[in-house]
Amino acid sequence: MTAPNIPQGPLNGIRIIDFTWKAVGPWSSRMLTPYGAEVIHIEPPHRPDDHRFEFRPVYGDAAKNQIAFRDAPDSPAYYTTPNFSHLHAGKLAVNLNARHPEGKELLERLVKVSDGLSENFSGGVLDSWGLGWDRLKELNPKLVYLSLSGYGHKGEWGSYRSYGPSAQASSGLTFSSGLPSKNPAGWGYSYMDVTGGWCGGLGMMMGLLRMKRTGEGVYVDYAVTEAAMAMLGPF
């Protein structure tokens, strides 16, 4: 893939490995690209990012196009869905199967020459690849590792899967919305997938600042629900 024109900014020279998908994760790394970071989005070849197929323009029979897009990765439509392009603007991209020995070897080489790694998998996914925090630190003691999840990777809810609306509800944001004497109205389709992603990007930048100051890497275990709670204000 041809490298994009990386803008001049305070994050020039910073390389981020981006294992994110859906919305909250991609937003966290996408917000770094305008400031000059080199973000490399990694997708497994057997499971492309869902947003390649969602909110896309549909021509002709919708069902046939759905099948055609998923089964024909050489089709221009496979690469140009607006939502995917928006979430990953300015990033590089590569297909890599981290569960394959050769793919894992390539990933470990990339970890050694990168500054950060972000992912929004369920808890324990990187550990199942043999690339948990202890191994990442061994490969690169200066690496900043950001995990984004609804409730963090530790604690009794650490294994739960979630989406933006889950964080909105469990934080109290959903309850706080709406008109008096009416049921809570909620916060739209996925408010915390966007805002939560921005907060995750700030978490990565804070980790990078700490690494620059101390020379040591850091694991940022970020829970989107905590960011949602911070938006409750005086409520």
Side-chain angles (χ1 to χ4, degrees), residues 41 43-54 56-57 59 65-85 88 93-95:
H41 180 57
E43 293 177 80
H46 56 282
R47 187 175 181 181
D49 194 307
D50 286 2
H51 280 298
R52 287 189 181 276
F53 313 104
E54 295 178 349
R56 69 194 185 286
Y59 306 98
N65 275 279
Q66 172 76 9
I67 296 171
F69 289 160
R70 288 189 177 274
D71 293 346
D74 292 329
S75 165
Y78 186 97
Y79 297 99
T80 56
T81 49
N83 198 43
F84 179 85
S85 298
H88 297 285
V94 65
N95 278 143

Side-chain angles (χ1 to χ4, degrees), residues 31-46:
M31 69 172 288
L32 306 180
T33 60
Y35 300 101
E38 180 187 87
V39 178
I40 304 174
H41 180 57
I42 297 179
E43 293 177 80
H46 56 282

Side-chain angles (χ1 to χ4, degrees), residues 122-144:
S122 300
V125 171
L126 259 64
D127 291 283
S128 72
W129 297 352
L131 288 170
W133 175 228
D134 288 339
R135 177 56 177 159
L136 292 174
K137 279 195 302 183
E138 182 181 332
L139 292 168
N140 185 349
K142 292 187 176 182
L143 188 76
V144 177

